[in-house]
Amino acid sequence: MKKIFSLLLILILMLSLTACGTSNTDGGSTPAAETPAEKHIVNLGITAFPTNTNPFTQTMQADHNALRMYESLVQQDAATLEFKGVLADSWSVSDDGLGWTIKLKEGVKWHDGETFDADDVMFTYSAILDNLENENAGFSRKSDVKSIEKIEKKGDYEVLFTTKTPVANFLDTPLQVIYIVPEHIFGKMSVAELIEFTNSNPIGTSPWKLVGEFNAQNTELEFERNEDYYGTKPNVDGLLFILFENSDTMYQAFKAGSIDMFSPSGTQAEELATDANVEVIKNLQPKLTEIGVNSSDDPRSTVNKSLKIKEVRQAINLALDKQKLIDDVLKGVGYAGTTIVPTSAGKWHLEGEHEYSPEKAIALLEKAGFTDFETVQISGRDVKVRKNAAGDTLVFRLALLTDGYAWHYRDSALYIVKWLEEVGIGLELQSMDGSALGDLMDLESDSFCDYDLYIWGWTPGYDPGFILTVLTTDQIGGRQEVMYSNPEYDALVDLQITQVNVDERLKTVHKAQEIILEDAPYIPLYYQGAYDAFRKDKYEGFIQFAGDGTIFNNETYINIKPVAK
C-alpha cells in the first residue's frame, strides 16, 4: 500500500512542477516539460500470496497468480469454452485417437529474447514423463501426463504426442494445464535442481513480465506489459496483486479506491450494490456441494441399512427445497443442484430442473414400506419418524464439517433437518472437522464407514472427466467416499474418456449423469457461487469466464481498459 501512495505523491509533485514552470536569466519562462503519459496499473486484492514461481512444483491455487508469465499450448475460450491455441497454432488427432500432432506458433520469443520452439515443449513434458516412477522427483503435474505414451519432435515447430489409449479431454489435461518452460534455462539443471529451483527471475512467453524478483515473503506481486508479445497485447500497463490480511481490510481498500477488483462477501456485495461507481456481479464457478450417502456393504460399516433402499435416497432428494438454500444461505449466488456435473460445465451438464415435492417424497417412502411412525429423541427434541414393519426407522447421522470453508454446509443443514422431518426422516447432526470425516472414509480405519450422510463438495472444473470418475468403483478408498458401485456406470465413465468425437462423448456423459440421478449415491445440493466486484468508474472490458464465471481470468486482463474521461 505504501508503494502505491508513494507513486501517487511523486506523480502529484511532478505535475505541480510542470504546471508552474521555472524562470530563466533573461526574465523569460522555461517551457513546461512534457507531461509523462499516465500509467494504468490494475490493482487486485488477494488474501493468499503465491508460494513459488516454479511451474514444475506449483501446487497451491494462489500460485497461479505468480505464473502469469508462462503459457500453455492451448486454453479454453472465456466465452465459448472451446479450446483455442496459445503456443499451439493448430492440432489434429489421428483416426485411432492415439496421436495428437501439435503445430507450434512461430516467431514467439521468450522474455529474454531467445526463440521459442519444439525443444521447449519436448523438454517440459519429457522432464515430467521421464520421472513418473521417481519418487524423489516431486513434479506436481505427474498425474496429468500419465495418459502419454511418448512425445516426439517432428520439426522445429511440430511435436507428436502418442497416448496409451484415446483421451477425450487431452486438450484440457494435459495440454491446457502444463505451462511450457524455457529449455535454455531449465534444461541445464539436474532433476533435483529442477525441484529445488526458486526461479526468482522467471522468464516466460506471455503478455506479462514480472517486475523485480519474486519473494514469497512479499505482500505485492507486480507484472508489466510485455511490449514484445507476439499476440494481442493488454490495454493496461500492468497488474498489481496486493495481499490483505483479511477480506474486511480488502473491502475497505476497495471502497477507498486503492484496489480496482476483488471478491466481496455476500454482505459486502449488498452494501456495494448502492455504489454508482462499482459493479457487483455473480460469479458461478464449477463447484458442487452434495449430500453423500453411505452405500457400503462392508460388514464393518455401521450405516443405517435403510439407505440401501433406492426409494429412500430418492425421497431425500425430492424433500429438499434447494432453491431456498440458494436464496437464503448463498444469498442468490448459485444454482439448485440436479446432477454431479455443474451447470458451469455448459453442454456437459445434463439439463433439467430440480423437483421439490414433499408429496412425492412421502409416496416413495411409503412405497418402500415406511408407513408406520415412531417418536424418537434427537438433540433433546421429540421427532416423529417413519418406520417399516421390521422396525427399521428413518433416523440418519449427518456428519457436519466444522472447517471455516464449510459455513454454508452448516447453515444449509438447519433447513435440511426441517424439510426431512416434514416427510418423516430424522437427522442427528454430528460435528467434526475434515480430517476426522476423512478418517471415517479410510478403508483401513477402525471407524470405517461410521456415518450415514455427510455434506461436502468438489471443484471439478469445466470438463466432466474428473467428477465422473469420483463415483466409479475403482475410486472406493480413493476419491470416492460413499462406497458406491455400479458396473454400468463404470463402463460409461471408461467409455466417455476414450470418445474423441465430442457428440458421441456428450451422449455418454449425459447417460452417466442419468444413472447417478436415479441411484442417488450423491444428492447434489447446489452449485455454489460467489461475488466479484470492480471499479467501473476506472476500468471497463471485464469478461466473465463462461458467461457467468469469474472476472479474474486471462482474457479480462488482456481486454480491460481505462474508462475514457
Side-chain angles (χ1 to χ4, degrees), residues 47 78 101 107 141 153 168 182 213 230 237 239 314 337 343 347 362 390 394 412 418 420 474-475 491 522 525 544 552:
T47 54
T101 299
R141 290 293 182 178
K153 179 180 175 180
E213 290 190 358
Y230 63 90
D237 298 287
L239 306 172
Q314 292 173 337
T343 54
K347 64 188 175 186
I362 290 171
L394 297 184
S412 295
K418 173 179 177 293
L420 293 187
D474 63 359
Q475 285 300 320
Y522 264 16
L525 284 180
Q544 281 195 267
F552 290 83

Side-chain angles (χ1 to χ4, degrees), residues 280-523:
V280 178
I281 59 175
K282 293 180 179 180
N283 164 12
L284 283 307
Q285 298 182 33
K287 291 186 176 183
L288 165 69
T289 295
E290 82 282 350
I291 294 179
V293 183
N294 188 349
S295 303
S296 179
D297 285 322
D298 193 295
R300 295 175 296 160
S301 175
T302 59
V303 63
N304 185 324
K305 63 183 180 181
S306 299
L307 285 173
K308 303 291 291 181
I309 303 170
K310 181 167 63 175
E311 287 80 5
V312 172
R313 301 193 299 270
Q314 292 173 337
I316 293 174
N317 189 39
L318 286 166
L320 304 178
D321 186 354
K322 299 175 185 178
Q323 187 57 48
K324 184 73 171 174
L325 298 179
I326 303 300
D327 297 338
D328 289 6
V329 176
L330 300 184
K331 305 302 182 184
V333 192
Y335 294 120
T338 53
T339 80
I340 60 173
V341 177
T343 54
S344 53
K347 64 188 175 186
W348 303 111
H349 170 74
L350 179 66
E351 290 293 337
E353 299 292 327
H354 168 65
E355 184 179 9
Y356 167 53
S357 177
E359 297 78 16
K360 288 186 177 181
I362 290 171
L364 281 175
L365 295 175
E366 292 183 345
K367 177 184 177 183
F370 292 91
T371 55
D372 296 327
F373 290 90
E374 179 179 321
T375 298
V376 298
Q377 280 276 312
I378 300 178
S379 299
R381 297 184 302 114
D382 288 338
V383 179
K384 187 177 179 181
V385 299
R386 291 180 176 273
K387 68 176 182 179
N388 60 15
D392 300 321
T393 58
L394 297 184
V395 178
F396 305 128
R397 298 161 297 167
L398 175 68
L400 194 58
L401 294 182
T402 57
D403 305 78
Y405 65 84
W407 63 269
H408 53 99
Y409 302 173
R410 297 189 294 275
D411 290 353
S412 295
L414 302 178
Y415 291 84
I416 293 170
V417 167
K418 173 179 177 293
W419 293 326
L420 293 187
E421 287 184 0
E422 288 173 352
V423 299
I425 298 174
L427 285 187
E428 296 176 348
L429 302 184
Q430 299 182 335
S431 298
M432 63 187 72
D433 62 23
S435 60
L437 181 54
D439 288 342
L440 298 182
M441 298 167 176
D442 185 349
L443 297 180
E444 305 303 320
S445 171
D446 292 337
S447 55
F448 169 70
C449 274
D450 189 18
Y451 64 96
D452 296 321
L453 308 168
Y454 66 84
I455 304 177
W456 220 339
W458 294 97
T459 303
Y462 292 92
D463 185 90
F466 171 81
I467 193 62
L468 291 178
T469 64
V470 167
L471 289 175
T472 55
T473 304
D474 63 359
Q475 285 300 320
I476 292 177
R479 294 182 189 134
Q480 203 208 121
E481 327 93 332
V482 293
M483 318 305 160
Y484 168 75
S485 179
N486 184 324
E488 182 185 2
Y489 177 78
D490 293 345
L492 289 171
V493 175
D494 288 343
L495 175 61
Q496 61 86 27
I497 204 62
T498 68
Q499 292 177 304
V500 178
N501 181 289
V502 174
D503 291 337
E504 292 177 359
R505 185 188 183 208
L506 190 61
K507 293 178 182 177
T508 306
V509 168
H510 285 177
K511 178 62 178 175
Q513 290 175 75
E514 290 173 354
I515 289 177
I516 298 303
L517 194 58
E518 172 72 15
D519 288 353
Y522 264 16
I523 298 173

